[in-house]
Amino acid sequence: MKVHFWGVRGSLPTPITPAQVQAKIVAAIERITPKDIESEDAKTRFIASLPPWLFGTVGGNTPCIEVVTSSGKQFLLDCGSGLREFGVNGRKPEDNHYTIFMSHFHYDHIQGLPFFGPIYNPNAKIDFYTTFPAAEKIIAGQSICPYLPLNCTWENVKKPFTFHLMHELEPIYIDGVKITCKKMKHPGNSYSFSFEENGKKFIFATDVELQDKDYDRSIEENHFFENADVLVLDSQYTGEEAIAKANWGHSIFCYAVDFANVWNVKKLFFFHHEPTYSDKKIYSILRAAKWYEDYSAKYDVDLNIAVEGQEIEI
């Protein structure tokens, strides 16, 4: 399997501002020494030496992930503004057949759908998988005037869609991939999805407020997360912010590290980044998480930040 991040922010899109771009340029210039510009190789080495928060950006689009199976079948996870990026820049399936899985229907996870080009293609087919029986009604509710022009309203774009109802912990199989979902704590509920193929397991767990019971190995359903090769997990808050935002439905990064350790996760990606956090702040959270992991010798999880445009192979 391959996993591509098209949108990694939570709550609302947060494009990088001109002031932030200028600050990055100034910070980079301040690091330059005469030796760094002596040759093209020196310039290349200097650029490569810049910290990731300075060279590039985590990204500002809201959640959308693409999973590609070993045979090339594509799955799309959530329809945040990153879905538009996929529609513009992603690989188009030759048969115009798209398969979408929805964790839940908060606005940051559906706002990209009206701007997803294939819904206007009469030859497209979109299979839409969700645990919410009212999914079509919910999607139709955002696709009305005056929120969108008449040609974008649900009656004019619904033809490609076929809705499929999933049930918690009852697996389905598509293209040889076992797909299972599990309900997590989040206002209005949110579901994590597991994708298993050729002995590898990928889990998408956005919008999760981890609870003590989620770490309990005596609860059979919790083993849903066990031995995941890659876990993309909501890690939106620092500890201080989480105290002020209890029951908002998001997790603290250190809790995410503990959780990955309990369930023997090999690689963890922090996801659903706080929209008020700068690139530097988000990478400082990763650094703090690695310090936290190092403090406990029993931890051996590969910690990462989900970055827009990044692609990983499992």
Side-chain angles (χ1 to χ4, degrees), residues 102-107 109-110 128 130 132 135 138-139 189:
M102 288 298 302
S103 65
H104 66 308
F105 289 87
H106 284 167
Y107 193 60
H109 295 259
I110 63 172
F128 206 88
T130 170
F132 293 78
I138 295 168
I139 292 297
N189 296 328

Side-chain angles (χ1 to χ4, degrees), residues 7 83 175 199 211 293:
L83 182 65
D175 195 51
Q211 304 293 292
E293 183 182 46

Side-chain angles (χ1 to χ4, degrees), residues 270-290:
F270 297 151
F271 187 74
H272 205 270
H273 307 311
E274 166 63 34
T276 63
Y277 288 173
S278 67
D279 291 316
K280 187 175 183 180
K281 173 76 170 180
I282 293 171
Y283 276 102
S284 75
I285 288 174
L286 177 61
R287 184 174 65 249
K290 289 181 177 180

Side-chain angles (χ1 to χ4, degrees), residues 21 98 119 121 130 151 164 166 171 178 196 213 240 292:
V21 173
Y98 298 85
I119 70 174
N121 181 351
T130 170
N151 65 308
H164 304 268
M166 292 184 67
K178 178 182 177 181
E196 297 179 64
K213 68 179 182 66
E240 182 180 2
Y292 178 77

